[in-house]
Amino acid sequence: MLDPNAIRERIVGALPGSEVDVRDTTGTGDHFEARVVSPAFAGKSMVEQHQLVYAPLQDWLKTGELHALALKTYSPEQWKKFGNR
Amino acid sequence: MTPELKARFDEAVRNNKIVLFMKGNAMFPQCGFSARALQILQQHGQVHTVDVLADPEVRQGIKEYSNWPTIPQVFINGKFVGGSDILMELEERGELAEMIAGKTPA
């Protein structure tokens, strides 16, 4: 079982300066959703943004400890534009 | 992935503006995520679909080709765009139409 904070810490560790919210969507510690706003996303496609978030979580994803992580990613500029939907 | 298979993928995404690797075909999608992706894309034009269930080699190979672990997978103007979540998000942001029109890089 994973803790949302553990996931959050890894993402922030890999993407310094990011604003990260992680939520356990099922209460079972293996399905999560995350919203990540990071300066590292500027100029990147959404696929590239998601891959940057998945990278520090690879071992958990491989073992299945982390079964699913639904992502919303934004550069600071995209967050201003689309964050309030 | 064999070079022959890679060449097939290259050809499919080069010769079609919108390509969807999906479970099932356009008439009978076999998965809710594939069906939703198809529905979104069809609002923007003709979609070339590839049924990954028809060929295990394609089903595995496409994941290596795009370096993305799940099906469906969307390619626009030759470039890998993402799976169903990303597609929905791009549609909500209004970026999908621009991408297909070639106004923003995919």
Side-chain angles (χ1 to χ4, degrees):
Chain A
M1 233 182 113
L2 289 171
D3 180 80
N5 274 326
I7 296 173
R8 191 186 164 277
E9 275 168 28
R10 281 216 188 167
I11 298 173
V12 174
L15 302 167
S18 301
E19 209 181 290
V20 183
D21 279 331
V22 181
R23 208 165 62 87
D24 183 335
T25 48
T26 53
T28 51
D30 58 351
H31 290 69
F32 297 88
E33 64 181 23
R35 189 195 66 201
V36 184
V37 183
S38 175
F41 294 158
K44 298 245 180 345
S45 74
M46 216 177 281
V47 164
E48 290 163 340
Q49 295 177 352
H50 285 207
Q51 279 166 339
L52 285 173
V53 178
Y54 287 132
L57 309 172
Q58 273 314 318
D59 55 332
W60 287 337
L61 288 162
K62 276 207 181 96
T63 59
E65 216 174 332
L66 176 53
H67 182 75
L69 178 67
L71 285 179
K72 298 246 167 160
T73 57
Y74 308 85
S75 66
E77 195 184 323
Q78 288 171 327
W79 177 248
K80 270 187 219 151
K81 205 166 159 194
F82 302 113
N84 294 325
R85 284 176 306 127
Chain B
M1 184 177 29
T2 62
E4 291 78 16
L5 187 60
K6 185 182 178 301
R8 272 171 63 195
F9 290 144
D10 284 341
E11 201 191 335
V13 305
R14 193 170 51 228
N15 294 342
N16 300 279
K17 196 173 187 57
I18 307 174
V19 183
L20 176 65
F21 290 84
M22 63 181 288
K23 294 181 179 174
N25 57 44
M27 290 291 283
F28 299 103
Q30 302 286 321
C31 151
F33 296 105
S34 288
R36 205 166 344 162
L38 179 67
Q39 199 185 8
I40 291 171
L41 288 170
Q42 280 176 331
Q43 296 169 18
H44 294 276
Q46 198 182 343
V47 182
H48 177 78
T49 63
V50 178
D51 180 2
V52 303
L53 299 179
D55 184 345
E57 216 193 347
V58 169
R59 184 176 184 173
Q60 185 52 41
I62 192 61
K63 297 177 184 176
E64 294 169 27
Y65 184 71
S66 59
N67 190 28
W68 194 256
T70 52
I71 308 289
Q73 297 194 6
V74 180
F75 289 77
I76 293 170
N77 294 327
K79 199 175 167 217
F80 176 58
V81 162
S84 60
D85 285 353
I86 287 181
L87 189 68
M88 279 189 279
E89 183 67 18
L90 289 170
E91 174 73 340
E92 278 179 34
R93 291 187 192 181
E95 289 181 4
L96 190 62
E98 290 183 14
M99 214 178 253
I100 290 168
K103 284 179 193 157
T104 53

